[in-house]
Amino acid sequence: AVLPPDFYVLKAPGESDEARANREAGVERAINDGIAQVFGQLSLPTNLRRFARIGLAQALHCRDEMRSRLPAGAAVLAAPYHRLASFDAIKRCVLIRHPWDDGDKYWGSVTGIPSHVVVIGKQQQTYDLIKELPAQIRDIISKELDDRAYGGTLSINRMSQLFDTSVNTAMAPMQAQMNTMQNLLAAMASRGVGDAMLPSNTPEADPDLQRYGGWKWVQSRWRRVPAAFRFPDSTPDNLLEQWFIGSEILQVPPLHMLEVG
C-alpha cells in the first residue's frame, strides 16, 4: 500500500527542529504560490485545496518522465510547472510514502476494524466530497463573475448587497446629524428664547470657541454647548469628526474642548 504523492519536508542530518520548521514554512508558501499559478487565484475550499495539492505533487512527480516521452510542442508542456524554475525547489519535496514510513505514523491506532471496512469508509468520504464539488465550484464561479461584473451586469442578489451597503454607509452620518438637529429644535420649542434671564457678565470667548457661538447660558450656568446637546451616538467616522471638528451649524465645538462640570 502506498499513499498519494505529497510534499514532505524531511529533517536533514544535524538540522534543529526550529530550522526544519522554518524551512517547512517556506516550502508551504511556495506550494501555495504554485497552486495559485496552476489552478488560478480562486479561493478554494479546504477539500478542494487538498485535491489541488495532491494534483500538483502528482504532476511534479511525473514531470521529468512526461518531458522525456512527449513531443516538444505538446500542450501540457506549457503548464507553469514545466516552464517555471520556481517549481524545481518544491519538486524535490515530492515523495510517495508507505504507511510504515516514519515509525508507522501513517497507520492509525489499532481499532479492530477490518482494513477493507476502513477503505470503504474512506471511499465513501471521498465520494461525499466529490458530490459537493459541483455546488462549491458553482458558488465560487458565481462570486467571481459578480465581483468582476462579467458582461457588465451583476446578479440581483449581488446588486442588492452592494446597494444596501453603500446606502447604509452614506446615510449613517446624515441620520445622526438629523437626530441632533431634531433634539435641538424640540428643546428650543419647549424652552423658548429666555434672553431676558441672561446675566450681564458674559465671559469672553476665545476665537476657537467664538466660531461655535461662544458661551451659552444653560441651566443657570455658562456652557460651551447648547441646551439640546447630547453626546452623539453615531458611527466611528462621525464621532471622530465631532471630536476634532465639531459643528458650527449646531454651535457645538470639538468635543475635546469640553470639560467635566
Side-chain angles (χ1 to χ4, degrees):
V2 296
L3 300 172
D6 203 347
F7 298 95
Y8 300 93
V9 179
L10 303 181
K11 188 175 181 180
E15 185 179 31
S16 66
D17 291 339
E18 182 180 0
R20 179 194 171 279
N22 292 335
R23 190 161 55 87
E24 184 177 33
V27 170
E28 287 297 325
R29 288 192 295 270
I31 293 170
N32 291 332
D33 291 342
I35 290 175
Q37 293 182 64
V38 174
F39 297 97
Q41 298 291 340
L42 299 180
S43 179
L44 299 175
T46 303
N47 58 336
L48 279 180
R49 290 195 66 82
R50 179 59 182 161
F51 285 125
R53 179 188 179 98
I54 292 177
L56 179 59
Q58 177 69 46
L60 289 174
H61 179 72
C62 303
R63 188 182 71 174
D64 295 341
E65 183 72 15
M66 293 174 65
R67 287 176 175 176
S68 66
R69 293 178 178 272
L70 292 176
V76 70
L77 297 180
Y81 52 85
H82 281 290
R83 295 184 293 102
L84 303 179
S86 57
F87 287 87
D88 294 343
I90 59 175
K91 181 184 184 306
R92 291 191 290 270
C93 298
V94 176
L95 293 174
I96 295 180
R97 313 305 303 274
H98 293 80
W100 51 83
D101 287 343
D102 297 338
D104 293 340
K105 82 171 190 178
Y106 300 108
W107 289 113
S109 57
V110 178
T111 61
I113 301 175
S115 58
H116 71 279
V117 175
V118 176
V119 172
I120 293 174
K122 293 295 184 181
Q123 289 177 338
Q124 182 62 44
Q125 291 179 6
T126 303
Y127 174 73
D128 292 340
L129 291 175
I130 293 175
K131 282 178 60 179
E132 297 173 1
L133 292 182
Q136 294 176 354
I137 293 173
R138 183 179 62 251
D139 293 342
I140 292 172
I141 294 177
S142 176
K143 181 179 182 303
E144 280 294 312
L145 294 179
D146 273 347
D147 289 344
R148 300 181 186 189
Y150 182 76
T153 59
L154 293 175
S155 67
I156 295 177
N157 291 337
R158 183 61 171 167
M159 187 177 296
S160 299
Q161 292 172 358
L162 294 175
F163 179 79
D164 292 342
T165 300
S166 61
V167 169
N168 291 338
T169 302
M171 289 297 295
M174 296 172 59
Q175 186 62 49
Q177 292 286 357
M178 291 172 63
N179 292 340
T180 303
M181 293 179 65
Q182 287 175 352
N183 294 335
L184 175 62
L185 293 174
M188 292 175 62
S190 63
R191 292 177 64 250
V193 179
D195 287 339
M197 301 298 295
L198 294 177
S200 58
N201 58 336
T202 304
E204 182 178 355
D206 58 42
D208 289 337
L209 183 59
Q210 194 63 40
R211 289 178 52 199
Y212 302 93
W215 294 91
K216 291 89 174 173
W217 182 251
V218 180
Q219 297 179 353
S220 302
R221 295 186 60 181
W222 288 109
R223 300 181 185 272
R224 293 180 173 85
V225 294
F229 171 75
R230 298 292 185 274
F231 277 96
D233 181 10
S234 182
T235 63
D237 289 343
N238 193 41
L239 287 174
L240 286 173
E241 180 181 349
Q242 295 291 331
W243 181 262
F244 289 106
I245 300 176
S247 174
E248 294 185 28
I249 296 176
L250 302 180
Q251 296 191 346
V252 176
L255 299 185
H256 70 81
M257 294 177 59
L258 304 186
E259 298 177 356
V260 179

